[in-house]
Amino acid sequence: MAGLYIHIPFCVSRCIYCNFYSTTHAELQQRYVDSVCREMEMRGLPPAPSSKKEAINTIYLGGGTPSQLTQPQLRQIFLYINKVYKNQAEEVTIEMNPDDVTVEYAAELRQLGINRVSMGAQTFNDERLRFLHRRHTASQVEQAVKILRDAGIHNISIDLMYGFPNETLEDWEHDIDAALTLNVEHISAYCLSIEEGTPLARIMETGCLIGSSQKTSPLIPCDEELERQMYELLLDKLEAAGYEHYEISNFAKVSPMGEGWRGLHNSSYWKDIPYIGVGAAAHSYDGKKRSWNVSDIKQYIDSIEHGERPCEYEEIDNDTHYNDCITTALRTSDGLDLTTISERHKHYCMKEAQKYIDDGLLHIIDNHLALTRKGLFVSDYIMSSLILV
C-alpha cells in the first residue's frame, strides 16, 4: 500500500520564510481542484472494471494552506479519492491555519474521515507572528485545538519554529511551555532557516521589513551555539513531558500503554514506502523511479485539462537508492536497517561510519545504524559522509 499526498498551494498571503510552492491566485481554486481530481483519475483508475484499485493507507493534504479550500471542494476531492483508490487510510491529515478552524469546518473534516490536523502555530509570540506574516494570533491556536477536540478530532499536531532574529533562550522556552499546555499528540519543531530568494532573506540582508524602505531595529541572526542550546532545551522538555523523539524534528506523545502518535504518512518517506503525489509540485515514488509535477499552477491546470500530466521522471539506480536511505532513515530514531541494503553498500557504510561510532555519534542496535543524541547535532555532516559520491 502507498500513501497519497495532495498538494493544495493556495495561500491568502505568503509567509516570509516559506520556500514551498504556493500561490495567492485564489481565482484558480476551483479549476485546480477539478484538475487534481482529473489527475487522480488519469493515474489511478484501473484499466478495466474488474481490475483492483490501488490501496492507500495514509492521506495527506499539504500546502500551501489546504484549509483555504471550501467545504464543497474538500468533499469533491474525497469523492474522487474514494472513486479512484481503495481507501484503507488509517491516518488522514490536513494542514490548517489556526484562524481557519471553525466549528462548521471542523465538523466537515470529521464527516469526511479526516482524523488528524497539522497546524502551523510557529510561535506563541504575537510580535514574532506578525514578523513572519502569519495570519493568526497566539490565542487562536488554543481556540482551534478546543474546536477540533469538540468535533471529535483527537490527533492534532502543531509546528513550532525557533532561531528567530533576536530570540532568546527564554523566549523559546516560553513557546515550548505554551505548546505543552495544549497537550497535543504531536509536535514538529524546526529552526528558522533563511532560504535564498525568500522575503526573509531580503529582510535580513537589507534590514528593512516588507513594504518599507525604513530600516528596522537591528535584526541579530541566531548563532549556531544558541541554536544548539534551543534544540537541547526542546529535547529535554519534550522528553520530560512524555513525547518520543522519533525523527530529528518530530515528537510524538506516548501513552502509559505504550501507544504512540507518530505521523504515519511522513514516516513512509523515511521508511522507503511508495507514495503518490498529486497536484502542482507534488512528488511521487514507486520504489524504482521518482517523479514530480511542474511547480506552476497555470501550466499544471492547462496540461491536465488537455489530458497530460506535466511531470519529470528520474530512474533510481542502486547507489541512488542507498543514498536516499542514508538521508531519510538516519533522520529517525529507528535508524537504517542494515539488512535492507546490499552487502556492497553495507561494507561501504560501516567503513565510513566506524569513526562516528567510535566518537559516540552513531550506534548499532539490532542491526540498525542510528544517530546518538550527540550525533543529532552534526547529523547533516554525518549523513553526507556516508553517502556515495
Side-chain angles (χ1 to χ4, degrees):
M1 289 194 292
L4 173 64
Y5 174 83
I6 300 178
H7 191 65
I8 309 297
F10 300 100
C11 291
V12 174
S13 60
R14 289 191 180 93
C15 301
I16 63 172
Y17 57 87
C18 185
N19 67 343
F20 290 113
Y21 177 67
S22 64
T23 179
T24 57
H25 287 287
E27 74 278 3
L28 296 174
Q29 201 160 293
Q30 186 56 54
R31 280 182 67 198
Y32 182 79
V33 169
D34 292 341
S35 296
V36 161
C37 293
R38 176 62 183 139
E39 185 188 351
M40 282 192 278
E41 278 191 314
M42 289 164 55
R43 297 176 60 190
L45 279 178
S50 59
S51 302
K52 292 183 178 180
K53 296 180 180 179
E54 183 167 6
I56 52 174
N57 61 348
T58 60
I59 299 170
Y60 195 106
L61 273 65
T65 314
S67 51
Q68 282 299 293
L69 294 181
T70 65
Q71 293 177 50
Q73 288 168 344
L74 269 181
R75 288 195 291 270
Q76 179 181 345
I77 286 175
F78 276 87
L79 176 69
Y80 273 80
I81 289 174
N82 293 320
K83 174 184 177 183
V84 173
Y85 301 105
K86 185 178 182 181
N87 186 354
Q88 298 179 338
E90 178 182 350
E91 177 192 272
V92 184
T93 303
I94 185 171
E95 292 181 353
M96 299 192 74
N97 272 21
D99 52 313
D100 289 334
V101 180
T102 65
V103 172
E104 182 183 21
Y105 206 91
E108 181 70 39
L109 301 183
R110 190 76 178 96
Q111 188 171 353
L112 289 172
I114 295 172
N115 55 17
R116 184 174 186 268
V117 169
S118 177
M119 285 193 298
Q122 312 309 4
T123 175
F124 292 88
N125 179 292
D126 284 337
E127 184 177 345
R128 285 198 291 273
L129 287 170
R130 287 191 293 271
F131 171 74
L132 293 175
H133 284 208
R134 297 292 294 178
R135 291 187 283 120
H136 71 277
T137 62
S139 63
Q140 286 178 309
V141 179
E142 182 178 0
Q143 296 167 9
V145 170
K146 184 180 185 306
I147 290 171
L148 293 169
R149 296 276 193 233
D150 290 344
I153 296 175
H154 301 298
N155 190 354
I156 299 173
S157 177
I158 61 171
D159 289 351
L160 296 178
M161 191 171 283
Y162 61 94
F164 291 91
N166 302 349
E167 185 180 18
T168 66
L169 193 62
E170 290 73 25
D171 292 336
W172 174 227
E173 185 168 21
H174 174 269
D175 274 352
I176 298 172
D177 289 340
L180 290 175
T181 62
L182 298 177
N183 199 31
V184 293
E185 288 69 32
H186 191 278
I187 294 174
S188 299
Y190 306 95
C191 186
L192 179 65
S193 59
I194 303 173
E195 302 287 348
E196 185 178 350
T198 62
L200 177 59
R202 181 167 67 82
I203 289 172
M204 297 304 295
E205 182 180 351
T206 63
C208 297
L209 294 176
I210 302 297
S212 171
S213 59
Q214 300 297 316
K215 287 190 177 294
T216 63
S217 56
L219 296 174
I220 303 172
C222 185
D223 61 45
E224 288 187 11
E225 175 56 24
L226 182 54
E227 286 179 7
R228 186 194 65 78
Q229 293 175 10
M230 288 178 167
Y231 190 54
E232 286 268 19
L233 182 66
L234 175 74
L235 301 184
D236 289 340
K237 292 187 76 73
L238 265 59
E239 181 181 351
Y243 287 84
E244 173 197 19
H245 185 205
Y246 73 100
E247 193 269 347
I248 287 176
S249 302
N250 287 277
F251 304 79
K253 202 163 186 61
V254 180
S255 74
M257 301 297 293
E259 297 173 343
W261 295 92
R262 292 186 179 193
L264 300 181
H265 183 85
N266 284 341
S267 290
S268 69
Y269 302 146
W270 307 317
K271 291 183 176 180
D272 198 34
I273 297 172
Y275 51 87
I276 303 161
V278 176
H283 287 234
S284 300
Y285 168 69
D286 65 5
K288 296 181 179 179
K289 67 176 181 291
R290 194 167 18 238
S291 64
W292 54 95
N293 288 346
V294 64
S295 298
D296 182 310
I297 189 169
K298 292 181 180 179
Q299 184 180 345
Y300 170 79
I301 291 173
D302 288 343
S303 295
I304 294 294
E305 288 179 344
H306 286 87
E308 298 177 357
R309 179 186 166 213
C311 67
E312 295 183 42
Y313 295 89
E314 175 192 16
E315 296 292 336
I316 300 174
D317 60 27
N318 291 334
D319 286 350
T320 301
H321 183 256
Y322 162 77
N323 287 343
D324 288 346
C325 288
I326 289 293
T327 55
T328 53
L330 277 185
R331 294 186 61 87
T332 69
S333 60
D334 295 335
L336 172 67
D337 185 349
L338 296 171
T339 67
T340 63
I341 60 177
S342 70
E343 283 301 316
R344 179 174 69 88
H345 289 132
K346 181 178 177 181
H347 175 77
Y348 175 84
C349 179
M350 294 310 301
K351 178 183 175 183
E352 298 298 317
Q354 190 59 54
K355 56 182 175 289
Y356 302 116
I357 295 173
D358 295 341
D359 290 341
L361 302 174
L362 288 170
H363 59 185
I364 298 177
I365 300 176
D366 295 331
N367 266 325
H368 284 71
L369 180 69
L371 294 164
T372 63
R373 174 162 172 157
K374 182 181 174 183
L376 290 170
F377 298 95
V378 287
S379 58
D380 286 346
Y381 176 74
I382 293 172
M383 287 187 280
S384 66
S385 299
L386 299 185
I387 63 173
L388 287 160
V389 291

mmCIF file of all heavy atoms in Angstrom, residues 138-139 204 228 269:
data_model
loop_
_atom_site.group_PDB
_atom_site.id
_atom_site.type_symbol
_atom_site.label_atom_id
_atom_site.label_comp_id
_atom_site.label_asym_id
_atom_site.label_seq_id
_atom_site.Cartn_x
_atom_site.Cartn_y
_atom_site.Cartn_z
ATOM 1 N N ALA A 138 -1.606 34.133 18.710
ATOM 2 C CA ALA A 138 -1.286 33.026 19.611
ATOM 3 C C ALA A 138 -2.542 32.445 20.252
ATOM 4 O O ALA A 138 -2.678 31.226 20.389
ATOM 5 C CB ALA A 138 -0.310 33.508 20.689
ATOM 6 N N SER A 139 -3.477 33.298 20.635
ATOM 7 C CA SER A 139 -4.686 32.810 21.313
ATOM 8 C C SER A 139 -5.546 31.952 20.393
ATOM 9 O O SER A 139 -6.280 31.073 20.856
ATOM 10 C CB SER A 139 -5.514 33.989 21.850
ATOM 11 O OG SER A 139 -5.967 34.809 20.780
ATOM 12 N N MET A 204 16.737 40.211 6.069
ATOM 13 C CA MET A 204 17.980 40.074 6.825
ATOM 14 C C MET A 204 19.131 40.791 6.119
ATOM 15 O O MET A 204 20.046 41.311 6.762
ATOM 16 C CB MET A 204 18.309 38.602 7.019
ATOM 17 C CG MET A 204 17.285 37.837 7.849
ATOM 18 S SD MET A 204 16.998 38.561 9.482
ATOM 19 C CE MET A 204 18.609 38.325 10.243
ATOM 20 N N ARG A 228 21.948 25.446 19.067
ATOM 21 C CA ARG A 228 22.214 24.169 19.739
ATOM 22 C C ARG A 228 21.551 24.139 21.114
ATOM 23 O O ARG A 228 20.934 23.146 21.502
ATOM 24 C CB ARG A 228 23.722 23.960 19.879
ATOM 25 C CG ARG A 228 24.110 22.591 20.437
ATOM 26 C CD ARG A 228 25.553 22.543 20.884
ATOM 27 N NE ARG A 228 25.797 23.448 22.008
ATOM 28 C CZ ARG A 228 25.452 23.161 23.266
ATOM 29 N NH1 ARG A 228 24.848 22.020 23.553
ATOM 30 N NH2 ARG A 228 25.713 24.032 24.227
ATOM 31 N N TYR A 269 7.903 8.360 4.134
ATOM 32 C CA TYR A 269 9.029 8.939 3.396
ATOM 33 C C TYR A 269 10.352 8.446 3.964
ATOM 34 O O TYR A 269 11.316 8.219 3.231
ATOM 35 C CB TYR A 269 8.999 10.469 3.464
ATOM 36 C CG TYR A 269 7.738 11.115 2.934
ATOM 37 C CD1 TYR A 269 7.245 12.281 3.495
ATOM 38 C CD2 TYR A 269 7.047 10.577 1.854
ATOM 39 C CE1 TYR A 269 6.101 12.894 3.008
ATOM 40 C CE2 TYR A 269 5.904 11.180 1.362
ATOM 41 C CZ TYR A 269 5.429 12.339 1.944
ATOM 42 O OH TYR A 269 4.297 12.940 1.458
#
